Each structure stands twice: as structure tokens, then as C-alpha cells.
């Protein structure tokens, strides 16, 4: 894994205001594949809710962007198209800089630091989301980020001209700074994008690298 690290990106689970408590089935769209630890967390969360409510509230997890793509989930929750959803906060940095605070390189380079950052930013984040009709339930940190590429990278010069998958404004900016070409590709489409040459590099976590069967070069 590359030495460069990005603060673990928190994922927010939100509930649209005004959803009736008598509702027995909620849809929860998520962007990551079933075996990803975020998806497994959501399945466990749904099971815990089912147990706590005596089976009165069923949450159906729709993983791998099968219901909504990652950029669409937040708006789907806001518009009550889905009662809950999982989002990558850093995806929405262009909407408000607060969403991108945990995507600032080197700001939090360990799980302990990520927790400190989360606790410090949560009150402001909750206030921002509440104004948008969303309630923050919990957040999960990512493992450290690394650079995955089809060719060895020994220095910044080797990144020039790479077709770099960017998943947030911060990673798109990094691509621009190193001379790479940022390309938007959803996580559910990463394996195909790498195989077909749509991209030849990306910055992501070990978890995503594993599930998309990409390889890392130091």
C-alpha cells in the first residue's frame, strides 16, 4: 500500500424526516458489494433493528448500487424514495466543505485520529444534515487509502497521464495535481472499468482494491 494516506472517510446512514413509525419495511440502498465490510455492517444493523422492534421494522439492504447509484442515494433519502441509505460523505464536498473534511490528505492517518476528527465534526455535521431533512445514525471509517495502478509507480512523474478513477472532489484534485486524468466510475463498475481500459489507476482502500480485484504497485 502506498505511504500516502487519506483520512478514513465516514459513511452516514440517514433517515428522511416524516417517515411513519408504523412502516414495517424500509429500503436501504448502498453502493458497495455484499462482501464489503460496509455492506456487512448494514446487514447486521438491519438484523439488530429487526430484533429490537420485535420484527415490526424490517430494513432491506440493497447493496452494490442495485437500487440507487452512490451519488443518488442522499437525494433519494431526502426525497423519501428510500427510507434510509448509506453515503460516502466525501462525495458531497462540492455541496458543502464540511462533507469533505475527512477526505483531507494526512489530516487523520489512524483509526484513533479518525475517531477524534469524527467526534469533533459530528455536531456540525448533524446540524447540516438536519437542515436537509436527514438524521445521522452512525459513521464507519475506511482503511487507509492507497494508489492502485496497472503500471509500477516510483514517483509523481509516473502518474502523469494516468486515467485515474476519482470518487470525490478531493481525489479528483489529487489527480489533477499529479498530472493524471480524473475519471468518474462507480464502485460497482470498477472491475469492468479497469478491464476495459476506461481507467488504469485509482486511489482507494485495500478493501475496495480486494473486492474489485485490482493490484497495487508501490
Amino acid at each position: 500500500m502506498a505511504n500516502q494516506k487519506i483520512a478514513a472517510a465516514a459513511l452516514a446512514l440517514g433517515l428522511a424526516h416524516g417517515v411513519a413509525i408504523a412502516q414495517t419495511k424500509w429500503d436501504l440502498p448502498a453502493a458497495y458489494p455484499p462482501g464489503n465490510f460496509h455492506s456487512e455492517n448494514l446487514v447486521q444493523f438491519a438484523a439488530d433493528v429487526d430484533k429490537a422492534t420485535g420484527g415490526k421494522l424490517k430494513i432491506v439492504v440493497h447493496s452494490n448500487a442495485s437500487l440507487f447509484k452512490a451519488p443518488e442515494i442522499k437525494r433519494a433519502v431526502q426525497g423519501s424514495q428510500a427510507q434510509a441509505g448509506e453515503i460516502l460523505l466525501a462525495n458531497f464536498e462540492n455541496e458543502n466543505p464540511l462533507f469533505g473534511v475527512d477526505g483531507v490528505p494526512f489530516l487523520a492517518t489512524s483509526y484513533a485520529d479518525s475517531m477524534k476528527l469524527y467526534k469533533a465534526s459530528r455536531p456540525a455535521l448533524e446540524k447540516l444534515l438536519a437542515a436537509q431533512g436527514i438524521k445521522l445514525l452512525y459513521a464507519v471509517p475506511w482503511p487507509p487509502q492507497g494508489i492502485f495502478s496497472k503500471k509500477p509507480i516510483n514517483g509523481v512523474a509516473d502518474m502523469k497521464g494516468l486515467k485515474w478513477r476519482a470518487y470525490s472532489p478531493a481525489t479528483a484534485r489529487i489527480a489533477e495535481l499529479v498530472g493524471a486524468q480524473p475519471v468518474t466510475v462507480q464502485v460497482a463498475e470498477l472491475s469492468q472499468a479497469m478491464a476495459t481500459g476506461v481507467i488504469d489507476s485509482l486511489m482507494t482502500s485495500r478493501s475496495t482494491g480486494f473486492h474489485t480485484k485490482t493490484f497495487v504497485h508501490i
Side-chain angles (χ1 to χ4, degrees):
M1 186 62 69
N3 290 329
Q4 184 174 355
K5 292 183 180 179
I6 292 181
L11 289 137
L13 184 73
L15 302 179
H17 286 314
V19 177
I21 194 65
Q23 187 172 359
T24 57
K25 176 180 173 290
W26 286 3
D27 289 314
L28 194 162
Y32 299 94
N36 183 277
F37 72 99
H38 287 296
S39 299
E40 292 178 350
N41 281 341
L42 292 172
V43 171
Q44 183 62 56
F45 172 77
D48 290 344
V49 170
D50 181 67
K51 182 178 180 180
T53 62
K56 294 180 180 179
L57 177 55
K58 302 284 187 180
I59 297 178
V60 180
V61 178
H62 301 270
S63 59
N64 210 34
S66 58
L67 190 59
F68 293 101
K69 293 183 178 180
E72 302 169 349
I73 293 175
K74 181 170 175 287
R75 186 169 295 277
V77 174
Q78 286 179 280
S80 297
Q81 293 173 286
Q83 291 73 40
E86 182 184 54
I87 63 170
L88 182 64
L89 289 173
N91 280 349
F92 302 93
E93 182 181 352
N94 284 340
E95 181 182 319
N96 190 296
L98 183 59
F99 288 133
V101 67
D102 62 355
V104 177
F106 309 111
L107 180 59
T109 58
S110 69
Y111 283 111
D113 287 346
S114 294
M115 178 56 76
K116 290 178 182 178
L117 179 60
Y118 170 63
K119 288 181 177 179
S121 59
R122 176 158 183 158
L125 182 61
E126 286 182 318
K127 182 177 180 180
L128 173 60
L129 289 171
Q132 299 179 346
I134 295 176
K135 181 176 179 58
L136 175 66
L137 294 185
Y138 69 84
V140 182
W142 278 100
Q145 308 288 286
I147 298 172
F148 290 70
S149 172
K150 286 186 175 181
K151 72 173 188 178
I153 295 176
N154 298 306
V156 174
D158 294 326
M159 301 182 202
K160 188 173 183 179
L162 289 176
K163 290 178 287 186
W164 174 296
R165 182 257 181 168
Y167 64 81
S168 67
T171 53
R173 178 58 178 156
I174 292 172
E176 293 170 356
L177 290 172
V178 300
Q181 175 188 345
V183 182
T184 301
V185 178
Q186 301 305 314
V187 67
E189 302 163 352
L190 268 180
S191 295
Q192 182 180 3
M194 281 291 263
T196 58
V198 173
I199 58 171
D200 49 31
S201 62
L202 65 152
M203 176 178 282
T204 193
S205 69
R206 295 177 184 177
S207 174
T208 302
F210 172 79
H211 285 290
T212 57
K213 297 179 174 62
T214 51
F215 299 91
V216 63
H217 292 276
I218 299 176

